[in-house]
Amino acid sequence: MDSAMDEATTTDAVDRFRAATKDRDFEAVQATLTPDATLISPLSGRLVFRGADDLRILLTAAYGGVSGLRWTEQIGDGAHRVLLAEAALGPFRFTEALVLELADDGRIRTLKPHLRPWLSLTALAVWLAPGLLKHPGVLRRAMRGASAP
C-alpha cells in the first residue's frame, strides 16, 4: 500500500464494511470493494469469487442468512487487516476471522474468510447452495480457482 495513502480512508472502508454487513446493506458493502475484488472460499480454498457482480450475490447470500453478527475486533494496519466476528446461522453459532487485503485507495481488494467450528461451516455451505445454484455462472467462474486471472 502506498505510504502516502490516508489512514482514515482505509479505516473508513473497513468500518463501512463492518457496519454494512451488520446492517445487511449490500449496496454499501459493494462500495467498500474494488471492482476486481476477490473472495477465496472458506469451504474449498479453491473456489475464488471475482468481481463486484459475483461478490454481491455471494455476500448477500452469506451475510443475509446470518443473525446476531457482531464484529468483535480489528487487527492490523496498512494493507492487511483481520476482522473477528461472532454470528449464528439458525441454531449454529460460529466465529469468523476475515483477512482483508486493501488496495492503494483503501477499498477492499481481497477477502479470505476463516470460519469455525466445522459443523457451522457445513451448515453455511448447505444454506448457500440453493442461492448460488440460481446463479450457475457465479459458481462456474469461481471454479476456475486461484490461478485464473
Side-chain angles (χ1 to χ4, degrees):
M1 176 178 290
D2 184 347
S3 60
M5 187 186 83
D6 179 31
E7 185 68 21
T9 301
T10 302
T11 302
D12 288 347
V14 174
D15 287 346
R16 285 192 324 267
F17 177 86
R18 291 170 58 163
T21 52
K22 188 172 191 247
D23 295 341
R24 298 180 183 182
D25 182 348
F26 299 108
E27 290 302 316
V29 169
Q30 287 302 118
T32 68
L33 306 175
T34 62
D36 62 342
T38 60
L39 183 144
I40 300 170
S41 171
L43 301 174
S44 75
R46 295 193 46 80
L47 293 176
V48 180
F49 296 88
R50 292 179 177 82
D53 292 337
D54 287 2
L55 286 181
R56 175 179 285 125
I57 291 166
L58 177 66
L59 294 173
T60 299
Y63 286 112
V66 301
S67 61
L69 176 63
R70 186 171 69 92
W71 295 103
T72 59
E73 192 170 349
Q74 179 176 320
I75 303 166
D77 57 20
H80 297 88
R81 306 293 169 89
V82 177
L83 300 178
L84 303 179
E86 299 173 346
L89 180 64
F92 302 103
R93 300 274 324 144
F94 66 90
T95 58
E96 177 178 11
L98 180 58
V99 179
L100 302 174
E101 294 177 13
L102 307 177
D104 288 343
D105 67 0
R107 290 184 294 165
I108 300 165
R109 180 191 335 255
T110 306
L111 301 95
K112 298 176 186 174
H114 301 268
L115 304 168
R116 63 175 305 273
W118 174 82
L119 185 57
S120 297
L121 184 60
T122 302
L124 180 62
V126 170
W127 167 261
L128 288 175
L132 291 179
L133 290 173
K134 293 178 187 176
H135 305 277
V138 171
L139 287 175
R140 192 170 36 256
R141 287 184 293 277
M143 285 187 227
R144 292 181 189 150
S147 62

